[in-house]
């Protein structure tokens, strides 16, 4: 299909930088998720790719060629909006065919393309139904078919699943991913749902305040979040303030060997240690290893336990444990199997 490059994109509204010098690339056939909280700039970035918003600076390139001067209808992009935007007075056939008819394609060619697009999204035989006769999931598939029927080189999806209930959302997420892989189309998918992004993306760009905090694969993003914002936004992270003492990293009662990367930090420099819940091991109080703590709550979440801990010197921490461990409320010891060291809000090294 195509490679997409965003080069130093900027969008300002008065003194506010909605998008602040964003540069990233999406390889041919890959799915990139723009992930972040409301107002972080992800939808503005997507709309600049589609031509619905004009950037103040920077460029949007497909296979190295700028498309900034092209209006939305002439760009090789297909957009699926959050609210579907199907025309209620048109049946499914006319909704999907609309873009092709604007291009004055022959009727028989349009008909073949519409039926092929509806087959692709799993909706054969619904051509004469109206949007009001379809479920939310079916309407979203029609919106996807309307974008794909134009054979775009870049597919743009703006929180396409946010209006669906939880179970339908999961099913549609899998179906959209399967279609994207089958077609092999380069895709940019906007979401605020971290689980959604982690499950479907080849790469994720985590955004905050108009800036890309980190661009990485889902596994890299979870294992080595580059900033404290990413560390707290992706998954659950216990954060413990600490210092460098006697050649060690001290964080509350926990002690870690000083990694070589941290030797540039001055002694006593403020640092933060991040510990994932699955990296906290809860043991009985009779075991000597680890630091003293107490279990205040153990919640059964089906395939694992979420354990709330009171650890002196750190306050409340969360651990994940196997149900077979039979953890009970009361005294215990806690061991940190691994951790991440942050200074000035940025990752220094794993511990």
């Amino acid at each position: 299909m195509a490679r997409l490059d965003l080069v130093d994109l900027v969008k300002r509204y008065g003194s506010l930088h909605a998008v602040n010098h964003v540069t990233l690339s999406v390889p041919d056939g890959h799915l990139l998720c723009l992930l972040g909280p409301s107002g972080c700039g992800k939808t503005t970035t997507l709309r600049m790719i589609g031509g619905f918003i004009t950037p103040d600076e920077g460029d949007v390139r497909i296979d190295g060629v700028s498309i900034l001067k092209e209006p939305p209808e002439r760009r090789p992009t297909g957009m699926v909006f959050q609210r579907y935007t199907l025309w209620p007075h048109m049946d499914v056939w006319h909704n999907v065919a609309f873009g092709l008819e604007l291009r004055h394609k022959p009727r028989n060619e349009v008909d073949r393309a519409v039926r092929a697009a509806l087959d692709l999204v799993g909706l054969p035989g619904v051509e004469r139904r109206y949007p009001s006769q379809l479920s939310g999931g079916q309407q979203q598939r029609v919106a996807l078919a309307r974008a794909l029927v134009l054979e775009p080189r870049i597919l743009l999806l703006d929180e396409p699943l946010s209006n669906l209930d939880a179970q339908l959302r999961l099913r549609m997420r899998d179906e959209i991913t399967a279609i994207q892989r089958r077609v092999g189309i380069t895709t940019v998918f906007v979401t605020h749902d971290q689980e959604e992004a982690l499950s479907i993306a080849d790469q994720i760009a985590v955004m905050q305040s108009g800036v890309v905090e980190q661009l990485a694969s889902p596994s890299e993003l979870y294992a080595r979040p580059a900033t404290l914002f990413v560390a707290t936004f992706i998954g659950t992270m216990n954060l413990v303030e600490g210092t460098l003492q006697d050649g060690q990293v001290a964080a509350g009662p926990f002690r870690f060997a000083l990694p070589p990367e941290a030797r540039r930090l001055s002694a006593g420099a403020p640092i933060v240690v991040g510990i994932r819940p699955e990296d906290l091991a809860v043991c009985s109080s009779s075991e000597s290893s680890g630091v003293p703590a107490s279990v205040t709550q153990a919640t059964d979440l089906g395939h694992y336990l979420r354990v709330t801990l009171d650890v002196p010197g750190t306050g409340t921490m969360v651990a994940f444990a196997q149900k077979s461990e039979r953890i009970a409320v009361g005294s215990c010891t806690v061991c940190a199997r691994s951790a991440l060291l942050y200074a000035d809000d940025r990752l220094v090294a794993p511990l």
Side-chain angles (χ1 to χ4, degrees):
M1 286 292 173
R3 174 188 175 90
L4 173 68
D5 292 291
L6 308 184
V7 184
D8 210 24
L9 273 187
V10 175
K11 184 61 186 178
R12 290 182 290 267
Y13 295 102
S15 61
L16 172 67
H17 277 77
V19 175
N20 194 359
H21 297 282
V22 166
T23 295
L24 54 83
S25 296
V26 189
D28 185 0
H30 280 222
L31 192 156
L32 169 77
C33 271
L34 298 178
L35 173 67
S38 297
C40 71
K42 55 189 185 294
T43 293
T44 301
T45 301
L46 192 78
R47 288 176 175 266
M48 285 193 285
I49 300 170
F52 301 100
I53 294 176
T54 302
D56 295 310
E57 298 176 31
D59 201 1
V60 178
R61 300 171 187 168
I62 295 179
D63 285 340
V65 178
S66 176
I67 60 170
L68 275 190
K69 294 183 179 179
E70 300 291 337
E73 66 274 13
R74 293 180 62 87
R75 294 193 180 192
T77 58
M79 184 88 163
V80 178
F81 297 92
Q82 182 176 352
R83 299 189 182 278
Y84 319 146
T85 61
L86 300 178
W87 288 282
H89 63 288
M90 292 184 184
D91 61 20
V92 167
W93 191 96
H94 285 92
N95 264 284
V96 177
F98 186 78
L100 294 175
E101 291 183 317
L102 284 180
R103 297 179 181 183
H104 305 292
K105 298 289 186 181
R107 173 68 183 232
N108 61 341
E109 182 180 327
V110 173
D111 193 60
R112 283 197 303 271
V114 169
R115 293 181 188 278
L118 289 173
D119 284 344
L120 180 63
V121 300
L123 287 178
V126 302
E127 292 85 353
R128 298 308 167 195
R129 294 188 195 176
Y130 286 83
S132 61
Q133 297 173 305
L134 303 175
S135 68
Q138 289 173 323
Q139 290 183 53
Q140 190 57 278
R141 292 188 205 184
V142 172
L144 182 59
R146 184 175 58 185
L148 292 172
V149 77
L150 299 175
E151 298 183 342
R153 300 171 69 196
I154 306 290
L155 179 62
L156 308 174
L157 303 169
D158 186 9
E159 302 212 39
L161 309 179
S162 61
N163 293 322
L164 305 178
D165 63 58
Q167 287 192 334
L168 183 55
R169 183 172 183 148
L170 288 174
R171 189 161 70 247
M172 281 300 301
R173 183 177 75 191
D174 292 341
E175 291 182 8
I176 286 177
T177 306
I179 291 168
Q180 188 269 335
R181 300 285 190 251
R182 194 179 317 140
V183 177
I185 187 170
T186 307
T187 300
V188 181
F189 189 114
V190 163
T191 182
H192 63 272
D193 187 324
Q194 57 165 292
E195 180 182 334
E196 195 165 85
L198 290 169
S199 66
I200 69 174
D202 295 304
Q203 284 195 306
I204 299 172
V206 179
M207 297 186 68
Q208 181 195 30
S209 301
V211 174
V212 174
E213 293 264 333
Q214 187 175 2
L215 173 64
S217 68
S219 58
E220 174 73 7
L221 205 65
Y222 187 83
R224 295 176 66 93
T227 68
L228 282 176
F229 172 78
V230 177
T232 54
F233 192 78
I234 301 294
T236 302
M237 183 73 83
N238 297 292
L239 298 180
V240 184
E241 293 184 0
T243 56
L244 304 181
Q245 298 177 2
D246 303 321
Q248 289 186 312
V249 176
F254 299 101
R255 296 292 183 271
F256 303 91
L258 185 71
E261 298 91 336
R263 290 172 185 164
R264 62 178 175 79
L265 302 175
S266 60
I271 58 174
V272 174
V273 172
I275 307 172
R276 292 287 188 196
E278 60 269 26
D279 292 326
L280 276 180
V282 181
C283 311
S284 67
S285 57
S286 61
E287 295 188 36
S288 59
S289 62
V291 300
S294 61
V295 175
T296 59
Q297 188 175 8
T299 305
D300 188 339
L301 294 179
H303 58 289
Y304 71 98
L305 294 175
R306 184 182 189 275
V307 183
T308 305
L309 299 159
D310 181 20
V311 182
T314 68
T316 300
M317 300 184 76
V318 175
F320 295 156
Q322 299 294 322
K323 293 176 67 174
S324 58
E325 295 182 43
R326 301 183 182 279
I327 294 172
V329 171
S331 298
C332 67
T333 60
V334 179
C335 302
R337 300 189 185 99
S338 64
L340 297 168
L341 174 63
Y342 291 86
D344 297 323
D345 289 336
R346 302 201 66 84
L347 178 65
V348 176
L351 298 172

